[in-house]
PDB file of all heavy atoms in Angstrom:
ATOM      1  N   LYS A  26       0.823  -1.212   0.000  1.00  0.00           N
ATOM      2  CA  LYS A  26       0.000   0.000   0.000  1.00  0.00           C
ATOM      3  C   LYS A  26       0.855   1.258   0.000  1.00  0.00           C
ATOM      4  O   LYS A  26       0.529   2.238  -0.691  1.00  0.00           O
ATOM      5  CB  LYS A  26      -0.939  -0.011   1.207  1.00  0.00           C
ATOM      6  CG  LYS A  26      -1.765   1.265   1.300  1.00  0.00           C
ATOM      7  CD  LYS A  26      -2.782   1.270   2.409  1.00  0.00           C
ATOM      8  CE  LYS A  26      -3.454   2.635   2.482  1.00  0.00           C
ATOM      9  NZ  LYS A  26      -4.555   2.676   3.458  1.00  0.00           N
ATOM     10  N   GLN A  27       1.928   1.271   0.758  1.00  0.00           N
ATOM     11  CA  GLN A  27       2.773   2.460   0.799  1.00  0.00           C
ATOM     12  C   GLN A  27       3.360   2.779  -0.574  1.00  0.00           C
ATOM     13  O   GLN A  27       3.490   3.949  -0.942  1.00  0.00           O
ATOM     14  CB  GLN A  27       3.888   2.273   1.838  1.00  0.00           C
ATOM     15  CG  GLN A  27       3.398   2.333   3.279  1.00  0.00           C
ATOM     16  CD  GLN A  27       2.609   3.606   3.570  1.00  0.00           C
ATOM     17  OE1 GLN A  27       3.066   4.724   3.281  1.00  0.00           O
ATOM     18  NE2 GLN A  27       1.416   3.437   4.131  1.00  0.00           N
ATOM     19  N   ASP A  28       3.721   1.742  -1.324  1.00  0.00           N
ATOM     20  CA  ASP A  28       4.217   1.969  -2.688  1.00  0.00           C
ATOM     21  C   ASP A  28       3.134   2.611  -3.561  1.00  0.00           C
ATOM     22  O   ASP A  28       3.425   3.486  -4.384  1.00  0.00           O
ATOM     23  CB  ASP A  28       4.662   0.649  -3.315  1.00  0.00           C
ATOM     24  CG  ASP A  28       5.913   0.080  -2.672  1.00  0.00           C
ATOM     25  OD1 ASP A  28       6.684   0.858  -2.076  1.00  0.00           O
ATOM     26  OD2 ASP A  28       6.103  -1.143  -2.751  1.00  0.00           O
ATOM     27  N   ILE A  29       1.897   2.168  -3.390  1.00  0.00           N
ATOM     28  CA  ILE A  29       0.790   2.726  -4.173  1.00  0.00           C
ATOM     29  C   ILE A  29       0.545   4.179  -3.782  1.00  0.00           C
ATOM     30  O   ILE A  29       0.323   5.044  -4.643  1.00  0.00           O
ATOM     31  CB  ILE A  29      -0.477   1.874  -3.979  1.00  0.00           C
ATOM     32  CG1 ILE A  29      -0.326   0.537  -4.703  1.00  0.00           C
ATOM     33  CG2 ILE A  29      -1.717   2.600  -4.491  1.00  0.00           C
ATOM     34  CD1 ILE A  29      -0.216   0.628  -6.213  1.00  0.00           C
ATOM     35  N   MET A  30       0.591   4.482  -2.485  1.00  0.00           N
ATOM     36  CA  MET A  30       0.420   5.867  -2.027  1.00  0.00           C
ATOM     37  C   MET A  30       1.527   6.753  -2.618  1.00  0.00           C
ATOM     38  O   MET A  30       1.268   7.868  -3.076  1.00  0.00           O
ATOM     39  CB  MET A  30       0.456   5.913  -0.501  1.00  0.00           C
ATOM     40  CG  MET A  30      -0.591   5.067   0.197  1.00  0.00           C
ATOM     41  SD  MET A  30      -2.219   5.822   0.310  1.00  0.00           S
ATOM     42  CE  MET A  30      -2.014   6.819   1.788  1.00  0.00           C
ATOM     43  N   LYS A  31       2.756   6.229  -2.613  1.00  0.00           N
ATOM     44  CA  LYS A  31       3.861   6.989  -3.202  1.00  0.00           C
ATOM     45  C   LYS A  31       3.651   7.187  -4.698  1.00  0.00           C
ATOM     46  O   LYS A  31       3.946   8.262  -5.243  1.00  0.00           O
ATOM     47  CB  LYS A  31       5.182   6.258  -2.963  1.00  0.00           C
ATOM     48  CG  LYS A  31       5.664   6.268  -1.527  1.00  0.00           C
ATOM     49  CD  LYS A  31       6.949   5.461  -1.391  1.00  0.00           C
ATOM     50  CE  LYS A  31       7.399   5.370   0.061  1.00  0.00           C
ATOM     51  NZ  LYS A  31       8.617   4.510   0.197  1.00  0.00           N
ATOM     52  N   ALA A  32       3.154   6.156  -5.383  1.00  0.00           N
ATOM     53  CA  ALA A  32       2.960   6.242  -6.836  1.00  0.00           C
ATOM     54  C   ALA A  32       1.965   7.343  -7.188  1.00  0.00           C
ATOM     55  O   ALA A  32       2.150   8.059  -8.187  1.00  0.00           O
ATOM     56  CB  ALA A  32       2.496   4.897  -7.379  1.00  0.00           C
ATOM     57  N   ILE A  33       0.910   7.483  -6.410  1.00  0.00           N
ATOM     58  CA  ILE A  33      -0.053   8.556  -6.683  1.00  0.00           C
ATOM     59  C   ILE A  33       0.647   9.906  -6.597  1.00  0.00           C
ATOM     60  O   ILE A  33       0.506  10.760  -7.490  1.00  0.00           O
ATOM     61  CB  ILE A  33      -1.236   8.491  -5.689  1.00  0.00           C
ATOM     62  CG1 ILE A  33      -1.996   7.182  -5.841  1.00  0.00           C
ATOM     63  CG2 ILE A  33      -2.175   9.679  -5.910  1.00  0.00           C
ATOM     64  CD1 ILE A  33      -3.074   6.966  -4.789  1.00  0.00           C
ATOM     65  N   THR A  34       1.415  10.111  -5.536  1.00  0.00           N
ATOM     66  CA  THR A  34       2.147  11.370  -5.378  1.00  0.00           C
ATOM     67  C   THR A  34       3.151  11.561  -6.506  1.00  0.00           C
ATOM     68  O   THR A  34       3.316  12.670  -7.046  1.00  0.00           O
ATOM     69  CB  THR A  34       2.858  11.402  -4.017  1.00  0.00           C
ATOM     70  OG1 THR A  34       1.878  11.363  -2.981  1.00  0.00           O
ATOM     71  CG2 THR A  34       3.695  12.654  -3.858  1.00  0.00           C
ATOM     72  N   GLN A  35       3.835  10.489  -6.893  1.00  0.00           N
ATOM     73  CA  GLN A  35       4.810  10.588  -7.983  1.00  0.00           C
ATOM     74  C   GLN A  35       4.149  10.931  -9.312  1.00  0.00           C
ATOM     75  O   GLN A  35       4.752  11.591 -10.163  1.00  0.00           O
ATOM     76  CB  GLN A  35       5.579   9.265  -8.084  1.00  0.00           C
ATOM     77  CG  GLN A  35       6.523   9.025  -6.917  1.00  0.00           C
ATOM     78  CD  GLN A  35       6.894   7.562  -6.727  1.00  0.00           C
ATOM     79  OE1 GLN A  35       6.339   6.663  -7.364  1.00  0.00           O
ATOM     80  NE2 GLN A  35       7.826   7.302  -5.818  1.00  0.00           N
ATOM     81  N   LEU A  36       2.911  10.507  -9.486  1.00  0.00           N
ATOM     82  CA  LEU A  36       2.184  10.802 -10.721  1.00  0.00           C
ATOM     83  C   LEU A  36       1.638  12.223 -10.752  1.00  0.00           C
ATOM     84  O   LEU A  36       1.624  12.862 -11.814  1.00  0.00           O
ATOM     85  CB  LEU A  36       1.029   9.810 -10.895  1.00  0.00           C
ATOM     86  CG  LEU A  36       1.374   8.438 -11.452  1.00  0.00           C
ATOM     87  CD1 LEU A  36       0.240   7.455 -11.189  1.00  0.00           C
ATOM     88  CD2 LEU A  36       1.648   8.522 -12.953  1.00  0.00           C
ATOM     89  N   ILE A  37       1.166  12.725  -9.606  1.00  0.00           N
ATOM     90  CA  ILE A  37       0.440  13.996  -9.634  1.00  0.00           C
ATOM     91  C   ILE A  37       1.284  15.209  -9.239  1.00  0.00           C
ATOM     92  O   ILE A  37       0.947  16.333  -9.631  1.00  0.00           O
ATOM     93  CB  ILE A  37      -0.824  13.942  -8.753  1.00  0.00           C
ATOM     94  CG1 ILE A  37      -0.473  13.733  -7.284  1.00  0.00           C
ATOM     95  CG2 ILE A  37      -1.756  12.846  -9.243  1.00  0.00           C
ATOM     96  CD1 ILE A  37      -1.684  13.672  -6.365  1.00  0.00           C
ATOM     97  N   THR A  38       2.378  15.008  -8.511  1.00  0.00           N
ATOM     98  CA  THR A  38       3.176  16.158  -8.106  1.00  0.00           C
ATOM     99  C   THR A  38       3.737  16.940  -9.292  1.00  0.00           C
ATOM    100  O   THR A  38       3.766  18.181  -9.250  1.00  0.00           O
ATOM    101  CB  THR A  38       4.315  15.723  -7.159  1.00  0.00           C
ATOM    102  OG1 THR A  38       3.738  15.097  -6.005  1.00  0.00           O
ATOM    103  CG2 THR A  38       5.145  16.915  -6.724  1.00  0.00           C
ATOM    104  N   PRO A  39       4.184  16.298 -10.392  1.00  0.00           N
ATOM    105  CA  PRO A  39       4.666  17.086 -11.537  1.00  0.00           C
ATOM    106  C   PRO A  39       3.607  17.999 -12.147  1.00  0.00           C
ATOM    107  O   PRO A  39       3.944  18.881 -12.946  1.00  0.00           O
ATOM    108  CB  PRO A  39       5.104  16.008 -12.539  1.00  0.00           C
ATOM    109  CG  PRO A  39       5.427  14.813 -11.710  1.00  0.00           C
ATOM    110  CD  PRO A  39       4.429  14.847 -10.593  1.00  0.00           C
ATOM    111  N   LEU A  40       2.334  17.832 -11.781  1.00  0.00           N
ATOM    112  CA  LEU A  40       1.271  18.668 -12.330  1.00  0.00           C
ATOM    113  C   LEU A  40       1.198  20.038 -11.674  1.00  0.00           C
ATOM    114  O   LEU A  40       0.577  20.958 -12.219  1.00  0.00           O
ATOM    115  CB  LEU A  40      -0.084  17.958 -12.161  1.00  0.00           C
ATOM    116  CG  LEU A  40      -0.217  16.569 -12.778  1.00  0.00           C
ATOM    117  CD1 LEU A  40      -1.544  15.931 -12.379  1.00  0.00           C
ATOM    118  CD2 LEU A  40      -0.090  16.637 -14.292  1.00  0.00           C
ATOM    119  N   GLN A  41       1.790  20.193 -10.510  1.00  0.00           N
ATOM    120  CA  GLN A  41       1.619  21.401  -9.692  1.00  0.00           C
ATOM    121  C   GLN A  41       1.858  22.703 -10.468  1.00  0.00           C
ATOM    122  O   GLN A  41       1.067  23.652 -10.352  1.00  0.00           O
ATOM    123  CB  GLN A  41       2.538  21.330  -8.479  1.00  0.00           C
ATOM    124  CG  GLN A  41       2.315  22.440  -7.450  1.00  0.00           C
ATOM    125  CD  GLN A  41       1.075  22.214  -6.596  1.00  0.00           C
ATOM    126  OE1 GLN A  41       0.923  21.178  -5.967  1.00  0.00           O
ATOM    127  NE2 GLN A  41       0.192  23.183  -6.572  1.00  0.00           N
ATOM    128  N   PRO A  42       2.909  22.808 -11.288  1.00  0.00           N
ATOM    129  CA  PRO A  42       3.146  24.083 -11.975  1.00  0.00           C
ATOM    130  C   PRO A  42       2.109  24.427 -13.045  1.00  0.00           C
ATOM    131  O   PRO A  42       2.118  25.567 -13.540  1.00  0.00           O
ATOM    132  CB  PRO A  42       4.531  23.882 -12.618  1.00  0.00           C
ATOM    133  CG  PRO A  42       5.134  22.718 -11.919  1.00  0.00           C
ATOM    134  CD  PRO A  42       4.008  21.845 -11.525  1.00  0.00           C
ATOM    135  N   TYR A  43       1.242  23.489 -13.388  1.00  0.00           N
ATOM    136  CA  TYR A  43       0.352  23.699 -14.526  1.00  0.00           C
ATOM    137  C   TYR A  43      -1.069  24.096 -14.112  1.00  0.00           C
ATOM    138  O   TYR A  43      -1.963  24.172 -14.951  1.00  0.00           O
ATOM    139  CB  TYR A  43       0.323  22.432 -15.387  1.00  0.00           C
ATOM    140  CG  TYR A  43       1.692  22.091 -15.939  1.00  0.00           C
ATOM    141  CD1 TYR A  43       2.515  21.166 -15.295  1.00  0.00           C
ATOM    142  CD2 TYR A  43       2.180  22.737 -17.075  1.00  0.00           C
ATOM    143  CE1 TYR A  43       3.775  20.869 -15.777  1.00  0.00           C
ATOM    144  CE2 TYR A  43       3.443  22.447 -17.565  1.00  0.00           C
ATOM    145  CZ  TYR A  43       4.237  21.514 -16.914  1.00  0.00           C
ATOM    146  OH  TYR A  43       5.503  21.238 -17.391  1.00  0.00           O
ATOM    147  N   TYR A  44      -1.277  24.367 -12.831  1.00  0.00           N
ATOM    148  CA  TYR A  44      -2.576  24.870 -12.388  1.00  0.00           C
ATOM    149  C   TYR A  44      -2.672  26.367 -12.681  1.00  0.00           C
ATOM    150  O   TYR A  44      -1.678  27.100 -12.641  1.00  0.00           O
ATOM    151  CB  TYR A  44      -2.770  24.596 -10.896  1.00  0.00           C
ATOM    152  CG  TYR A  44      -3.188  23.176 -10.606  1.00  0.00           C
ATOM    153  CD1 TYR A  44      -2.231  22.175 -10.461  1.00  0.00           C
ATOM    154  CD2 TYR A  44      -4.527  22.828 -10.502  1.00  0.00           C
ATOM    155  CE1 TYR A  44      -2.597  20.860 -10.204  1.00  0.00           C
ATOM    156  CE2 TYR A  44      -4.911  21.517 -10.252  1.00  0.00           C
ATOM    157  CZ  TYR A  44      -3.948  20.539 -10.108  1.00  0.00           C
ATOM    158  OH  TYR A  44      -4.318  19.239  -9.865  1.00  0.00           O
ATOM    159  N   SER A  45      -3.886  26.798 -12.975  1.00  0.00           N
ATOM    160  CA  SER A  45      -4.133  28.212 -13.246  1.00  0.00           C
ATOM    161  C   SER A  45      -3.969  29.035 -11.976  1.00  0.00           C
ATOM    162  O   SER A  45      -3.845  28.483 -10.867  1.00  0.00           O
ATOM    163  CB  SER A  45      -5.543  28.385 -13.809  1.00  0.00           C
ATOM    164  OG  SER A  45      -6.503  27.885 -12.868  1.00  0.00           O
ATOM    165  N   ALA A  46      -4.007  30.339 -12.116  1.00  0.00           N
ATOM    166  CA  ALA A  46      -3.788  31.216 -10.965  1.00  0.00           C
ATOM    167  C   ALA A  46      -4.793  30.946  -9.856  1.00  0.00           C
ATOM    168  O   ALA A  46      -4.449  30.944  -8.667  1.00  0.00           O
ATOM    169  CB  ALA A  46      -3.855  32.676 -11.412  1.00  0.00           C
ATOM    170  N   GLY A  47      -6.045  30.702 -10.231  1.00  0.00           N
ATOM    171  CA  GLY A  47      -7.084  30.422  -9.249  1.00  0.00           C
ATOM    172  C   GLY A  47      -7.202  28.959  -8.896  1.00  0.00           C
ATOM    173  O   GLY A  47      -8.110  28.582  -8.134  1.00  0.00           O
ATOM    174  N   LYS A  48      -6.331  28.129  -9.453  1.00  0.00           N
ATOM    175  CA  LYS A  48      -6.228  26.681  -9.166  1.00  0.00           C
ATOM    176  C   LYS A  48      -7.423  25.868  -9.666  1.00  0.00           C
ATOM    177  O   LYS A  48      -7.507  24.672  -9.361  1.00  0.00           O
ATOM    178  CB  LYS A  48      -6.044  26.428  -7.660  1.00  0.00           C
ATOM    179  CG  LYS A  48      -4.950  27.245  -7.003  1.00  0.00           C
ATOM    180  CD  LYS A  48      -3.607  27.067  -7.687  1.00  0.00           C
ATOM    181  CE  LYS A  48      -2.520  27.884  -6.988  1.00  0.00           C
ATOM    182  NZ  LYS A  48      -1.219  27.832  -7.703  1.00  0.00           N
ATOM    183  N   ALA A  49      -8.334  26.455 -10.438  1.00  0.00           N
ATOM    184  CA  ALA A  49      -9.536  25.741 -10.891  1.00  0.00           C
ATOM    185  C   ALA A  49      -9.377  25.138 -12.284  1.00  0.00           C
ATOM    186  O   ALA A  49     -10.336  24.577 -12.829  1.00  0.00           O
ATOM    187  CB  ALA A  49     -10.745  26.674 -10.873  1.00  0.00           C
ATOM    188  N   ARG A  50      -8.204  25.274 -12.865  1.00  0.00           N
ATOM    189  CA  ARG A  50      -7.928  24.677 -14.173  1.00  0.00           C
ATOM    190  C   ARG A  50      -6.564  23.995 -14.112  1.00  0.00           C
ATOM    191  O   ARG A  50      -5.641  24.486 -13.453  1.00  0.00           O
ATOM    192  CB  ARG A  50      -7.892  25.726 -15.302  1.00  0.00           C
ATOM    193  CG  ARG A  50      -9.132  26.593 -15.457  1.00  0.00           C
ATOM    194  CD  ARG A  50     -10.292  25.826 -16.039  1.00  0.00           C
ATOM    195  NE  ARG A  50     -11.393  26.704 -16.422  1.00  0.00           N
ATOM    196  CZ  ARG A  50     -12.287  27.224 -15.582  1.00  0.00           C
ATOM    197  NH1 ARG A  50     -12.179  26.985 -14.286  1.00  0.00           N
ATOM    198  NH2 ARG A  50     -13.261  27.996 -16.025  1.00  0.00           N
ATOM    199  N   LEU A  51      -6.446  22.883 -14.819  1.00  0.00           N
ATOM    200  CA  LEU A  51      -5.154  22.225 -15.009  1.00  0.00           C
ATOM    201  C   LEU A  51      -4.868  22.278 -16.500  1.00  0.00           C
ATOM    202  O   LEU A  51      -5.567  21.654 -17.294  1.00  0.00           O
ATOM    203  CB  LEU A  51      -5.189  20.784 -14.510  1.00  0.00           C
ATOM    204  CG  LEU A  51      -3.883  19.986 -14.617  1.00  0.00           C
ATOM    205  CD1 LEU A  51      -2.758  20.667 -13.841  1.00  0.00           C
ATOM    206  CD2 LEU A  51      -4.075  18.560 -14.128  1.00  0.00           C
ATOM    207  N   GLU A  52      -3.868  23.049 -16.883  1.00  0.00           N
ATOM    208  CA  GLU A  52      -3.612  23.361 -18.291  1.00  0.00           C
ATOM    209  C   GLU A  52      -2.301  22.711 -18.711  1.00  0.00           C
ATOM    210  O   GLU A  52      -1.216  23.240 -18.474  1.00  0.00           O
ATOM    211  CB  GLU A  52      -3.591  24.878 -18.475  1.00  0.00           C
ATOM    212  CG  GLU A  52      -4.937  25.508 -18.088  1.00  0.00           C
ATOM    213  CD  GLU A  52      -4.887  27.012 -17.878  1.00  0.00           C
ATOM    214  OE1 GLU A  52      -3.764  27.539 -17.660  1.00  0.00           O
ATOM    215  OE2 GLU A  52      -5.944  27.652 -17.936  1.00  0.00           O
ATOM    216  N   LEU A  53      -2.412  21.542 -19.354  1.00  0.00           N
ATOM    217  CA  LEU A  53      -1.248  20.710 -19.636  1.00  0.00           C
ATOM    218  C   LEU A  53      -0.753  20.797 -21.070  1.00  0.00           C
ATOM    219  O   LEU A  53       0.277  20.194 -21.390  1.00  0.00           O
ATOM    220  CB  LEU A  53      -1.570  19.251 -19.301  1.00  0.00           C
ATOM    221  CG  LEU A  53      -1.856  18.958 -17.833  1.00  0.00           C
ATOM    222  CD1 LEU A  53      -2.240  17.493 -17.640  1.00  0.00           C
ATOM    223  CD2 LEU A  53      -0.648  19.301 -16.971  1.00  0.00           C
ATOM    224  N   GLY A  54      -1.454  21.488 -21.943  1.00  0.00           N
ATOM    225  CA  GLY A  54      -1.015  21.534 -23.332  1.00  0.00           C
ATOM    226  C   GLY A  54      -1.959  22.359 -24.173  1.00  0.00           C
ATOM    227  O   GLY A  54      -2.949  22.906 -23.673  1.00  0.00           O
ATOM    228  N   VAL A  55      -1.660  22.413 -25.461  1.00  0.00           N
ATOM    229  CA  VAL A  55      -2.444  23.269 -26.357  1.00  0.00           C
ATOM    230  C   VAL A  55      -3.125  22.475 -27.467  1.00  0.00           C
ATOM    231  O   VAL A  55      -3.767  23.069 -28.340  1.00  0.00           O
ATOM    232  CB  VAL A  55      -1.554  24.371 -26.980  1.00  0.00           C
ATOM    233  CG1 VAL A  55      -1.025  25.301 -25.903  1.00  0.00           C
ATOM    234  CG2 VAL A  55      -0.388  23.753 -27.774  1.00  0.00           C
ATOM    235  N   THR A  56      -3.006  21.135 -27.446  1.00  0.00           N
ATOM    236  CA  THR A  56      -3.700  20.361 -28.474  1.00  0.00           C
ATOM    237  C   THR A  56      -5.205  20.497 -28.285  1.00  0.00           C
ATOM    238  O   THR A  56      -5.710  20.627 -27.174  1.00  0.00           O
ATOM    239  CB  THR A  56      -3.300  18.885 -28.420  1.00  0.00           C
ATOM    240  OG1 THR A  56      -3.512  18.383 -27.105  1.00  0.00           O
ATOM    241  CG2 THR A  56      -1.838  18.709 -28.791  1.00  0.00           C
ATOM    242  N   GLY A  57      -5.932  20.466 -29.401  1.00  0.00           N
ATOM    243  CA  GLY A  57      -7.365  20.734 -29.372  1.00  0.00           C
ATOM    244  C   GLY A  57      -8.186  19.555 -28.899  1.00  0.00           C
ATOM    245  O   GLY A  57      -7.757  18.407 -28.907  1.00  0.00           O
ATOM    246  N   VAL A  58      -9.421  19.864 -28.488  1.00  0.00           N
ATOM    247  CA  VAL A  58     -10.380  18.854 -28.060  1.00  0.00           C
ATOM    248  C   VAL A  58     -11.765  19.376 -28.412  1.00  0.00           C
ATOM    249  O   VAL A  58     -11.977  20.588 -28.500  1.00  0.00           O
ATOM    250  CB  VAL A  58     -10.234  18.575 -26.547  1.00  0.00           C
ATOM    251  CG1 VAL A  58     -10.628  19.788 -25.715  1.00  0.00           C
ATOM    252  CG2 VAL A  58     -11.017  17.349 -26.132  1.00  0.00           C
ATOM    253  N   GLY A  59     -12.713  18.469 -28.623  1.00  0.00           N
ATOM    254  CA  GLY A  59     -14.016  18.853 -29.142  1.00  0.00           C
ATOM    255  C   GLY A  59     -14.752  19.874 -28.312  1.00  0.00           C
ATOM    256  O   GLY A  59     -15.518  20.682 -28.840  1.00  0.00           O
ATOM    257  N   TYR A  60     -14.540  19.896 -26.986  1.00  0.00           N
ATOM    258  CA  TYR A  60     -15.295  20.799 -26.121  1.00  0.00           C
ATOM    259  C   TYR A  60     -14.512  22.045 -25.728  1.00  0.00           C
ATOM    260  O   TYR A  60     -14.947  22.811 -24.875  1.00  0.00           O
ATOM    261  CB  TYR A  60     -15.783  20.060 -24.865  1.00  0.00           C
ATOM    262  CG  TYR A  60     -14.808  19.057 -24.322  1.00  0.00           C
ATOM    263  CD1 TYR A  60     -13.754  19.435 -23.500  1.00  0.00           C
ATOM    264  CD2 TYR A  60     -14.932  17.718 -24.646  1.00  0.00           C
ATOM    265  CE1 TYR A  60     -12.854  18.514 -23.020  1.00  0.00           C
ATOM    266  CE2 TYR A  60     -14.037  16.776 -24.160  1.00  0.00           C
ATOM    267  CZ  TYR A  60     -12.998  17.177 -23.342  1.00  0.00           C
ATOM    268  OH  TYR A  60     -12.104  16.262 -22.868  1.00  0.00           O
TER     269      TYR A  60
END
């Protein structure tokens, strides 16, 4: 279980710099999407 808990943190921590100023958006790229 501890390895799994660490894996979640290892997966999501690199996302921190990509949150918007108000933290309500996660902006990871500029490729298009239908919506």
Side-chain angles (χ1 to χ4, degrees):
K26 177 176 175 174
Q27 288 306 309
D28 291 337
I29 288 295
M30 302 279 276
K31 289 177 184 177
I33 298 173
T34 297
Q35 290 159 352
L36 280 163
I37 64 180
T38 301
L40 303 173
Q41 188 76 55
Y43 299 96
Y44 280 86
S45 59
K48 310 305 181 185
R50 304 287 191 281
L51 182 59
E52 299 164 340
L53 296 177
V55 296
T56 54
V58 66
Y60 37 82

